[in-house]
Amino acid sequence: MKEYQKAYAAFGVDTESAIEALKDIPVSIHCWQGDDVIGFDGAGSLSGGIQTTGNYMGRARNFEELKADIREAFSLMPGKKRLNLHASYAILGEDAGKIDRDRYTFKHFIPWVEFAKELGLDGIDFNPTFFAHPNMKDGLTLSSPSKSVRSFWVEHGKRCMEIAAELGKAFGKPCLVNIWIPDGFKDVPADRLGPRMRLKGSLDEILKDYDREWVIPAVESKVFGIGVESYTVGSNEFYQNYAAKNGICCLLDNGHYHPLEYVSDKIPALLAFYDRVALHVTRGVRWDSDHVVLFEDELKEIAKEIVRNDATKKVLIGLDYFDASINRIFAWVTGQRSMQKALLYALLLPHDAMRKLQDEGDFTALMDLQERVKTLPFGDVWEEYLRREGLNEDVLARVRSYESKVLKERV
Ligand code: RNT
Ligand code: ZN
C-alpha cells in the first residue's frame, strides 16, 4: 500500500474505487470558452445579458481554429467528456447568409458530430441561442409582446429540439437541451406577469412535441444580468414550477442566484422531486461573472451533494464560464480540472461515517471528522489519477508552447 492509500484507509476510504468512479462521471464541456461566446453565425459580438471581459490574444475565429483549440484543451483534460454546443456554432456552409436560426437543421452540426467522434467524446449537448441576434427586440425573445418576434424564437427552439434528437441518436446517449433566455428589464417593469405568461406559452409550443427518448429539455433561470438588473422573466420560481408541471429538467447555474444562495443546497432539494438535475458549473464573483471554475469550497459542496446522494447519473454536470483575460485554453483546462478535482475530493470522503454521526446527533465528532479529512493527502491521489489518464500537472508549459506556435499567429 502506498502512503496516501494508508492515510485514506484509516478513515475507511478506498482510493482505488474513488479513482475508478471518477473516470465514469461525464462532464459536458462548453465550446464557448474558446471564442468568448461569439459563435459562427454572424453576430460578431455578444449582446443580451451576458458579457465576456478581457482581450487576451488568440481567440478562435472560425471552426478550424476552434476545433484546433478544443483538440488541444481536451487533450489536457482527464475523465469522460461531452461537448456542449450552442446553436450559434452552426456550420452553415453554403447556407450562410441565406437562412436564419429558425431554419437550422442537423446538417449544420454534422461536422461537429464527426469531430466529437474523432475525439472519442461521450456525446454532445445542445443549446438554442436566444441572444446576440437582431431579432431580440428591446432585449426580449420568447417573452416579447411581438407575435412575430416570439414566433421566430419559438421556431428556433423547435429546430433545436429536432437537432438535439439527432445528436442524441448519433451517440446513443440523450442530448440535454438547455433553454436560457436573456429577457428582462433594466428598470422597474410596468408588467411582471405578462412577459412570464408569454414565455410560458412559447415554452409550451417548443415542447409540444419532441423526442422523449433522445432529448432532455432543461430551463435555466437567472436572478439578473448586465442591462437587465431590475427584472428577469425566466426567474428561479418561474422555471422551477414550469419544469415540475411539465416534466422537464431544471438547470442550475451557480452564478445565477443571490450570492448567499447556494446551488449545493438546491441540488438535494430538487433531487427530492426530480429524476434529473442539470448544472452549469461556474464561479460567480459578485454578479454572474462566469469566472473560471476553481477548486473552492462551494465547488466541493456541489460535488459532495452529487456523490453522497448517489446522483452521479442524475445530476448532469456542465461547465459554463468564459474568461478572455487569460489564455483561453488554460482557462478551459483549469475549470474542467477543478470540477474533476472536486468530484475526486468528494469521492474520497467517508460519507457513511459522517451521515451516521449526524443522524446520531453527535455533532462534536462530526465536526472533528469533517475537519480531519480536509488534510488527507488528496494531492497524491489526484496526481495518481492524472498519471493513469496519461497526464500531469504541467498544463502551463503545454499551453505556453501552443500559444507561441498557434495562438500568436492569429492576428
Ligand atoms: C447566461 C447563462 C447561459 C450562457 C450560455 C452561453 O447567463 O449562464 O447559460 O452562459 O448559454
Ligand atoms: Zn449558464
Side-chain angles (χ1 to χ4, degrees):
M1 255 201 190
K2 298 202 175 108
E3 283 308 310
Y4 72 80
Q5 287 174 320
K6 279 189 218 155
Y8 276 97
F11 287 86
V13 173
D14 175 22
T15 56
E16 281 305 302
S17 43
I19 290 175
E20 283 311 305
L22 180 58
K23 286 182 184 160
D24 223 35
I25 305 175
V27 174
S28 193
I29 299 147
H30 54 315
C31 71
W32 52 90
Q33 163 59 44
D35 77 330
D36 309 344
V37 209
I38 290 176
F40 305 147
D41 67 354
S45 70
L46 210 49
S47 69
I50 47 174
Q51 209 176 330
T52 317
T53 52
N55 193 23
Y56 201 83
M57 54 118 132
R59 183 181 81 80
R61 296 159 301 181
N62 52 51
F63 188 39
E64 290 312 313
E65 290 181 354
L66 190 56
K67 272 198 295 187
D69 292 0
I70 289 176
R71 205 173 264 128
E72 179 68 10
F74 280 38
S75 77
L76 292 165
M77 296 173 182
K80 194 183 263 192
K81 296 172 278 288
R82 299 173 60 81
L83 178 65
N84 201 1
L85 283 183
H86 247 283
S88 53
Y89 292 81
I91 312 302
L92 294 173
E94 55 193 23
D95 289 334
K98 293 190 196 139
I99 64 165
D100 210 335
R101 289 184 190 166
D102 55 343
R103 287 178 57 201
Y104 291 180
T105 63
F106 179 57
K107 172 179 96 177
H108 304 115
F109 296 89
I110 291 174
W112 279 113
V113 172
E114 286 163 358
F115 179 61
K117 290 207 165 163
E118 182 198 318
L119 295 189
L121 304 183
D122 183 54
I124 293 184
D125 293 308
F126 202 58
N127 305 258
T129 310
F130 295 106
F131 53 83
H133 190 280
N135 265 358
M136 283 179 72
K137 286 283 163 0
D138 301 321
L140 304 177
T141 63
L142 294 177
S143 75
S144 168
S146 152
K147 175 92 179 69
S148 66
V149 169
R150 281 202 313 280
S151 306
F152 172 80
W153 290 111
V154 164
E155 287 307 309
H156 177 55
K158 287 185 178 170
R159 292 301 83 71
C160 289
M161 300 297 275
E162 292 157 8
I163 294 163
E166 297 308 313
L167 291 171
K169 286 180 213 159
F171 292 88
K173 305 256 169 81
C175 171
L176 179 75
V177 178
N178 177 50
I179 296 178
W180 174 76
I181 60 165
D183 300 32
F185 297 118
K186 181 186 173 95
D187 231 315
V188 189
D191 177 11
R192 289 186 158 90
L193 180 58
R196 288 187 175 136
M197 291 309 288
R198 292 192 289 269
L199 173 56
K200 191 175 167 205
S202 298
L203 292 172
D204 288 347
E205 283 187 59
I206 294 173
L207 297 166
K208 205 183 291 166
D209 183 30
Y210 67 90
D211 189 329
R212 285 173 167 71
E213 188 178 356
W214 297 110
V215 180
I216 304 171
V219 280
E220 177 184 11
S221 73
K222 187 161 177 171
V223 66
F224 79 93
I226 296 280
V228 283
E229 289 85 359
S230 295
Y231 166 83
T232 304
V233 185
S235 62
N236 180 60
E237 291 74 10
F238 175 87
Y239 277 139
Q240 251 176 43
N241 282 291
Y242 188 89
K245 289 219 163 194
N246 292 280
I248 63 163
C249 186
C250 285
L251 184 142
L252 311 176
D253 180 314
N254 62 307
H256 287 192
Y257 296 89
H258 288 285
L260 290 177
E261 265 185 85
Y262 293 110
V263 160
S264 52
D265 187 59
K266 296 177 191 297
I267 294 169
L270 293 191
L271 285 175
F273 296 95
Y274 291 84
D275 296 340
R276 290 193 190 96
V277 179
L279 299 183
H280 267 182
V281 178
T282 185
R283 180 167 53 101
V285 178
R286 300 191 186 276
W287 56 282
D288 165 47
S289 50
D290 298 289
H291 279 55
V292 177
V293 173
L294 300 177
F295 186 47
E296 293 193 323
D297 285 353
E298 171 58 0
L299 185 67
K300 290 180 199 162
E301 285 307 309
I302 288 174
K304 282 192 215 170
E305 292 302 334
I306 298 171
V307 165
R308 71 186 171 199
N309 296 315
D310 211 7
T312 55
K313 296 214 160 52
K314 295 181 183 170
V315 178
L316 310 177
I317 306 170
L319 305 175
D320 182 17
Y321 50 87
F322 25 99
D323 193 335
S325 75
I326 57 173
N327 181 297
R328 291 174 184 79
I329 294 174
F330 184 80
W332 232 333
V333 177
T334 300
Q336 191 270 357
R337 286 190 174 206
S338 300
M339 186 71 240
Q340 290 261 305
K341 272 186 199 163
L343 288 167
L344 181 62
Y345 186 84
L347 287 162
L348 289 165
L349 292 174
H351 295 294
D352 291 342
M354 296 198 287
R355 186 179 284 121
K356 186 161 175 284
L357 290 172
Q358 174 174 313
D359 290 346
E360 285 167 353
D362 193 348
F363 300 111
T364 311
L366 176 58
M367 185 183 284
D368 177 58
L369 182 52
Q370 283 181 324
E371 286 305 292
R372 284 176 62 195
V373 292
K374 284 183 184 168
T375 50
L376 285 171
F378 170 73
D380 295 343
V381 192
W382 172 248
E383 264 177 40
E384 177 60 19
Y385 171 66
L386 285 180
R387 198 184 61 74
R388 292 189 199 177
E389 292 281 292
L391 296 165
N392 56 41
E393 284 286 23
D394 209 0
V395 175
L396 188 60
R398 272 278 300 270
V399 166
R400 290 261 193 252
S401 126
Y402 187 76
E403 179 171 296
S404 58
K405 278 195 217 118
V406 181
L407 302 181
K408 280 211 172 109
E409 303 300 315
R410 294 181 189 165
V411 275

